[in-house]
Amino acid sequence: MSRNDESHSPCIVVAGVSGTGKTTVARLLADRLGIPFAEADDLHPPANIAKMSAGVPLDDEDRQPWLESIGRWLHEHAATGSGGVIACSALKRRYRDMLRAACPNVFFLYLTASHDLLAQRLSHRAGHFMPQSLLDSQLAALEPLATDEPGASLDAGPTPGAIADMAMDLLLQ
């Protein structure tokens, strides 16, 4: 991604397992960059939400239409030049590859945290369909960002504002 290209705003996926603060950081980053924000959870088909709400992990077949929707969102925002920030787990390399196929210049900001911190955060979260019981399945499926993937990993331990500041520093290099 050409982070210094001023003619187009960046397309960024804030990624990581549930509880890393993806949505909060993505909103802050979008606000700071003055570009659109989206929550990938809002793009799940109702069947996926029902499955996760029942404590059943999604499989790759379940995720396919969801990832296609996210890819379309990224593609549309890249094509218009508006850019955008979307909060999306993007747990596996092949999922990120699908998103890159739709939006070749996408930048992944991958948030990491310890199991204990994630479990603590999820135990205090209310009103979300993703139960804490699915944390271990997400961690088992997780494939960290590889060195040949466009993006960076950041520790999700600091405050969301501090993480957004670190992300801005990375993007403005």
Side-chain angles (χ1 to χ4, degrees), residues 29-89:
L29 196 53
D31 286 347
R32 290 177 186 189
L33 292 167
I35 59 179
F37 162 80
E39 169 55 66
D41 284 345
D42 295 340
L43 301 177
H44 270 296
N48 284 7
I49 293 172
K51 195 171 182 178
M52 288 183 286
S53 295
V56 179
L58 299 180
D59 59 27
D60 287 350
E61 187 176 322
D62 297 323
R63 287 186 182 95
Q64 183 72 29
W66 176 64
L67 290 164
E68 289 170 357
S69 294
I70 297 163
R72 278 191 299 277
W73 189 91
L74 287 165
H75 176 81
E76 290 166 6
H77 286 81
T80 64
S82 70
V85 181
I86 190 164
C88 171
S89 55

Side-chain angles (χ1 to χ4, degrees), residues 102 127 133 140 163:
S133 62
I163 296 168

Side-chain angles (χ1 to χ4, degrees), residues 10 13 30 53 78 102 115:
V13 174
S53 295
H115 184 283

Side-chain angles (χ1 to χ4, degrees), residues 25-165:
V25 171
R27 281 185 201 278
L28 287 170
L29 196 53
D31 286 347
R32 290 177 186 189
L33 292 167
I35 59 179
F37 162 80
E39 169 55 66
D41 284 345
D42 295 340
L43 301 177
H44 270 296
N48 284 7
I49 293 172
K51 195 171 182 178
M52 288 183 286
S53 295
V56 179
L58 299 180
D59 59 27
D60 287 350
E61 187 176 322
D62 297 323
R63 287 186 182 95
Q64 183 72 29
W66 176 64
L67 290 164
E68 289 170 357
S69 294
I70 297 163
R72 278 191 299 277
W73 189 91
L74 287 165
H75 176 81
E76 290 166 6
H77 286 81
T80 64
S82 70
V85 181
I86 190 164
C88 171
S89 55
L91 297 176
K92 295 183 181 182
R93 168 83 187 233
R94 68 176 165 262
Y95 305 161
R96 296 186 298 269
D97 288 346
M98 285 181 63
L99 300 179
R100 262 193 304 281
C103 182
N105 291 327
V106 67
F107 184 85
F108 292 92
L109 181 63
Y110 177 66
L111 302 181
T112 63
S114 71
H115 184 283
D116 289 345
L117 177 60
L118 295 168
Q120 176 190 18
R121 287 180 178 180
L122 291 175
S123 71
H124 293 101
R125 185 162 74 173
H128 194 278
F129 61 81
M130 174 77 176
Q132 182 180 347
S133 62
L134 292 181
L135 175 58
D136 288 337
S137 70
Q138 279 201 327
L139 290 169
L142 179 65
E143 296 172 2
L145 202 62
T147 57
D148 66 331
E149 293 183 89
S153 295
L154 291 176
D155 178 11
T159 65
I163 296 168
D165 289 343

